[in-house]
Amino acid sequence: MLAVALIVILTVKCSLTEGALASNSSIDRKDRNREMSLQRLQALRALMSSQRPVLAAYIIPTADAHNSEYIDAADARREWISAFTGSAGTAVVTSSQALVWTDGRYYTQFEREVDLSAWTLMKQTLPDTPTLEKWLASNLKDGDVVGVDPQTMTRDEWTPIQTALKKISAQLVPISNNLVDDVRIELGDPAPKRSHNELAPLHVRYTGRTAGEKIAELRRKMAEKKASALVLTALDDIAYTLNLRGSDIEYNPVFFSYLIVMETNVVLYWGDGQLPPSVTDHLREEGVDSVEGKPYGDILEGLKEMARELSESGDGRHVIWLSNDANEAIHRAASGSDVLKRPIDLISEVSPVKLAKLVKNEIELQGFRNCHIKDGIAVVRFFRWLHDQIDGGEQITEVQASDKLLEFRRDEKDFMGPSFGTIAGSGANGAIIHYSPDREGQQTVIERDHMFLLDSGGQYRDGTTDITRTRHMSGNPTAEQRDAFTRVLKGQIMIGSALFPKGVKGNVLDSFARHALWEVGLDYGHGTGHGVGHYLNVHEGPSGVSWRPYPDDPGLNVGQILSNEPGFYKVGEYGIRHEDLIEIVAVDKGSDHPKAKNLRGDYDGRGVLGFSTLTLVPNQRECIDAEIMTDFEISYVNAYHRRVLDTLSPILKERGLLKDLEWLEGQCIPITRK
């Protein structure tokens, strides 16, 4: 047994060393993209000047045709042209300037990745930064033309730009061929082919409702609106409605498609239009008999034809219902591209599917609870392993840590893959809010005297996880780090223990998370919480907790899942973030909630809501300064750690993971003041 153990240890050491050498010998893709940025800009400007009319500016959103947050490589146009890899931002290119508007999560990342002699960062969260439309209106002149691919911009985004330009007698025009795609071909670097991978049915034992039931509910809502058709363009809306999952976009179990629901039939635009028997059988079993498949690329012509047929049907005006996040090209096609006998009325508002999937049913909620137990086991095992490795003198890189965490998650039942790219930041990298370690180029070793921020998540058939834990790898943080760690934790507790009226908007709660930081002049540049899909997108609207209101937030209600993730980031030194997923629950005086016993009313009949934390991983005791915590906060942390231990320890014991159990027991010892 000892010999086998030595062989295993030597194998691990060799594989870690080989991985680091391979990474160090790789060409740094980010550096190459930065160096090519000026050449790409020059080629785009030449193409802009060849258009008729000539384009004074060209807008490049971070977007696909479905307004997806995470996009396929085929749609990563802003990244390709600018070398900025952040997941949010809009570029504007003129004959003499190139700018990117993005928010505070990405300022540091932008300055590290981009050729600052060619590109200007527009810090959109700062009050003195003009909006994109105001900048255009101030820098363009009478008669100028601004172009954009209408499939990459929603109507809600299109309209304010168009209005601002009209005021200076300039205009916004749709460019059907994406100019960045054309430049890529011209420079011999064409965009990769769009994915159309296999579709996977998701059984009702995971979803709780059949596709037939969901479509019947949509038709009832259509009848209320007197709509002849409902056009779904958001990929997660379509996956949810049909109880299908895919893999066309990394980390998101969705597939490129459009879905049109009509009174008697359903049309799915997907791939080449041929639906495999596994899909048609699944839909038939779930009560959806009439499904027609059409090629994905035919959607605009299909909408035009549908509008024409409805207009010529002779039975009055017709209504087509679009989500307000459908792109401008979809809106134009659905309204009818030709002169119609009778006009088509468009309803453009929040998708009914978004509102439906926001509130999880009991099967989905139980799935969330179950998958967080599995995820807790995986993350606990990982941190025990990481501390053992580093305490033993091993050099572990951020990439190797990410890979090892994935190994542990793969041991869990129904694990389908990560829910986003793991953010594993040691030291200064932890201060880059959306940092992700790159496999190419020099690798960062997780140092023993550094703070290490790990933000990761998993996709399971029964739910989606998203967790952040920050740990000092030696357990001996500085006084400043311990103070910041504790203030962030105090904010997370204030959210996690909050009571609030049913129906309030999520932005009402945001300042709770910042209170302890604000007391000493600290803050963080991102929202506090986002919605989470059920084995769907890890970021799911339309509700969230942020200083910035969510325009379509219907108000918080029982059954919603949100994240709770305040943070603090000292650029160039360290970052701290604590993130749990939380379930909204109804609370009364008899509820198992730390503040329930103090209730004296129910907000005049509106109803009391609170949160139940789903995530099950302890916070690092050595980083908590109990001297600045209240009695309630200390009690809250100890009760949480006791629940983590009580939930996970029987599983670790049953699986023979005794070292992990011993480590967890040490992490869950109650904290006290000195």
Side-chain angles (χ1 to χ4, degrees):
M1 292 298 291
L2 179 59
V4 172
L6 288 172
I7 292 171
V8 170
I9 292 170
L10 290 171
T11 302
V12 171
K13 286 184 178 178
C14 291
S15 65
L16 294 181
T17 303
E18 290 166 3
L21 290 173
S23 297
N24 289 335
S25 64
S26 299
I27 298 173
D28 192 330
R29 173 179 48 82
K30 291 182 180 179
D31 285 346
R32 184 173 64 249
N33 286 344
R34 183 168 54 242
E35 292 167 2
M36 293 291 294
S37 180
L38 185 57
Q39 179 185 353
R40 293 168 180 176
L41 275 175
Q42 291 170 339
L44 176 60
R45 285 168 173 150
L47 193 56
M48 289 164 56
S49 65
S50 71
Q51 301 295 302
R52 292 296 176 267
V54 172
L55 300 182
Y58 188 67
I59 303 174
I60 311 161
T62 307
D64 62 11
H66 306 274
N67 198 37
S68 304
E69 179 185 11
Y70 294 98
I71 56 177
D72 184 57
D75 297 303
R77 302 176 178 100
R78 189 231 62 222
E79 176 180 335
W80 182 84
I81 197 74
S82 69
F84 169 50
T85 64
S87 62
T90 301
V92 172
V93 176
T94 71
S95 61
S96 60
Q97 297 190 72
L99 314 96
V100 171
W101 276 258
T102 191
D103 62 59
R105 295 171 295 172
Y106 303 102
Y107 296 163
T108 304
Q109 181 178 345
F110 182 94
E111 290 166 354
R112 285 179 56 159
E113 293 180 343
V114 173
D115 179 355
L116 300 179
S117 67
W119 287 90
T120 300
L121 170 62
M122 303 298 285
K123 298 181 177 181
Q124 67 186 37
T125 48
L126 298 186
D128 57 347
T129 300
T131 62
L132 185 150
E133 55 266 25
K134 286 183 178 178
W135 187 91
L136 290 171
S138 299
N139 287 271
L140 300 183
K141 61 183 185 301
D142 183 2
D144 277 349
V145 176
V146 179
V148 66
D149 179 349
Q151 293 196 74
T152 65
M153 186 172 285
T154 68
R155 173 149 288 187
D156 283 352
E157 294 165 335
W158 179 283
T159 301
I161 298 173
Q162 183 181 55
T163 301
L165 291 175
K166 281 183 177 179
K167 291 179 180 178
I168 62 165
S169 299
Q171 59 177 320
L172 181 65
V173 299
I175 307 296
S176 56
N177 286 342
N178 191 289
L179 298 190
V180 175
D181 290 350
D182 291 346
V183 168
R184 294 194 68 165
I185 293 171
E186 180 182 316
L187 295 181
D189 184 18
K193 187 177 180 182
R194 183 173 306 284
S195 303
H196 282 294
N197 298 324
E198 185 178 352
L199 303 180
L202 188 63
H203 197 274
V204 71
R205 68 176 172 271
Y206 297 110
T207 66
R209 296 184 70 202
T210 65
E213 291 171 326
K214 294 176 181 179
I215 289 174
E217 179 61 25
L218 292 178
R219 285 177 172 147
R220 285 192 288 272
K221 294 183 181 299
M222 288 166 57
E224 294 172 4
K225 301 278 188 181
K226 297 182 171 53
S228 300
L230 170 64
V231 181
L232 299 179
T233 59
L235 303 183
D236 56 332
D237 282 4
I238 298 167
Y240 170 86
T241 300
L242 299 180
N243 289 342
L244 293 171
R245 297 296 187 266
S247 58
D248 289 352
I249 295 180
E250 191 173 21
Y251 309 123
N252 299 325
V254 297
F255 48 95
F256 284 111
S257 57
Y258 299 91
L259 185 68
I260 301 179
V261 179
M262 290 173 279
E263 294 177 10
T264 58
N265 69 311
V266 175
V267 182
L268 179 63
Y269 287 83
W270 173 79
D272 62 1
Q274 298 297 313
L275 300 180
S278 60
V279 171
T280 54
D281 290 347
H282 158 75
L283 294 174
R284 190 177 302 111
E285 290 170 1
E286 296 218 336
V288 186
D289 294 323
S290 180
V291 181
E292 182 181 2
K294 291 188 177 182
Y296 172 79
D298 290 355
I299 181 62
L300 296 181
E301 288 305 316
L303 286 173
K304 292 175 184 177
E305 178 63 19
M306 181 178 72
R308 185 189 63 77
E309 290 177 356
L310 289 173
S311 176
E312 295 176 354
S313 64
D315 53 356
R317 293 172 71 98
H318 285 273
V319 174
I320 296 178
W321 189 355
L322 302 175
S323 172
N324 55 2
D325 60 7
N327 66 57
E328 176 67 13
I330 291 289
H331 276 84
R332 289 173 179 243
S335 65
S337 57
D338 304 317
V339 177
L340 301 177
K341 287 187 175 181
R342 295 177 182 82
I344 296 293
D345 294 332
L346 294 185
I347 298 174
S348 184
E349 59 185 34
V350 62
S351 159
V353 178
K354 274 190 170 39
L355 298 177
K357 64 182 169 60
L358 175 65
V359 178
K360 278 58 180 177
N361 61 51
E362 187 52 41
I363 296 295
E364 292 171 320
L365 290 172
Q366 190 57 51
F368 267 107
R369 298 165 195 145
N370 293 342
C371 75
H372 276 84
I373 295 173
K374 294 180 285 190
D375 210 60
I377 293 289
V379 177
V380 164
R381 293 179 66 197
F382 165 77
F383 275 126
R384 196 276 302 171
W385 172 86
L386 183 63
H387 276 285
D388 279 0
Q389 295 295 310
I390 293 176
D391 289 346
E394 296 292 340
Q395 288 199 335
I396 306 297
T397 69
E398 295 166 336
V399 168
Q400 290 165 345
S402 301
D403 291 345
K404 191 65 178 181
L405 176 58
L406 181 58
E407 283 184 31
F408 286 124
R409 281 197 167 109
R410 282 176 174 154
D411 286 345
E412 302 305 316
K413 181 181 179 183
D414 284 333
F415 176 70
M416 304 302 291
S419 56
F420 56 95
T422 296
I423 299 169
S426 178
N429 290 339
I432 304 171
I433 296 172
H434 272 202
Y435 172 79
S436 184
D438 196 336
R439 293 181 180 277
E440 301 176 6
Q442 186 68 37
Q443 298 295 290
T444 299
V445 172
I446 301 170
E447 300 290 350
R448 194 168 187 272
D449 61 348
H450 280 177
M451 299 293 284
F452 175 60
L453 187 154
L454 182 75
D455 187 346
S456 69
Q459 294 284 9
Y460 298 82
R461 283 194 180 92
D462 47 0
T464 299
T465 70
D466 184 0
I467 171 179
T468 307
R469 289 293 182 265
T470 308
R471 299 185 66 85
H472 193 281
M473 295 315 300
S474 73
N476 188 28
T478 66
E480 176 191 283
Q481 290 170 336
R482 183 178 284 110
D483 180 82
F485 185 102
T486 307
R487 290 183 183 278
V488 175
L489 182 60
K490 284 163 71 75
Q492 190 188 49
I493 293 169
M494 198 167 183
I495 289 284
S497 63
L499 296 177
F500 49 94
K502 178 180 177 181
V504 301
K505 308 290 187 178
N507 65 297
V508 172
L509 305 179
D510 183 71
S511 59
F512 290 5
R514 302 176 192 269
H515 177 70
L517 291 166
W518 282 356
E519 285 187 321
V520 292
L522 304 180
D523 201 1
Y524 53 94
H526 57 77
T528 299
H530 56 81
V532 181
H534 177 264
Y535 183 26
L536 275 174
N537 296 355
V538 72
H539 292 167
E540 179 180 89
S543 290
V545 178
S546 175
W547 56 269
R548 184 167 33 201
Y550 286 68
D552 295 317
D553 184 354
L556 301 181
N557 208 338
V558 174
Q560 295 179 19
I561 304 293
L562 298 171
S563 69
N564 175 9
E565 49 179 314
F568 172 72
Y569 311 92
K570 188 170 184 180
V571 175
E573 294 193 25
Y574 63 89
I576 294 167
R577 185 162 64 251
H578 308 315
E579 180 183 15
D580 295 333
L581 292 195
I582 48 180
E583 173 189 342
I584 299 181
V585 296
V587 179
D588 58 32
K589 204 169 181 64
S591 298
D592 181 16
H593 186 281
K595 292 183 177 177
K597 64 182 180 181
N598 297 324
L599 280 172
R600 293 166 53 191
D602 63 354
Y603 306 119
D604 296 325
R606 293 169 66 185
V608 182
L609 300 181
F611 294 116
S612 173
T613 297
L614 296 167
T615 305
L616 293 167
V617 175
N619 286 289
Q620 189 175 20
R621 298 174 65 259
E622 295 90 340
C623 287
I624 299 173
D625 183 358
E627 303 304 314
I628 64 170
M629 296 182 74
T630 66
D631 290 345
F632 173 82
E633 290 165 343
I634 291 173
S635 173
Y636 185 97
V637 169
N638 288 336
Y640 172 70
H641 283 172
R642 186 165 56 251
R643 182 162 72 89
V644 170
L645 184 61
D646 290 346
T647 304
L648 302 186
S649 61
I651 300 170
L652 292 170
K653 190 177 299 183
E654 181 183 354
R655 289 167 59 173
L657 302 171
L658 301 185
K659 288 186 178 180
D660 300 314
L661 174 58
E662 181 181 1
W663 183 85
L664 179 62
E665 288 172 339
Q667 296 296 306
C668 294
I669 295 171
I671 62 172
T672 59
R673 294 193 185 92
K674 293 179 182 177

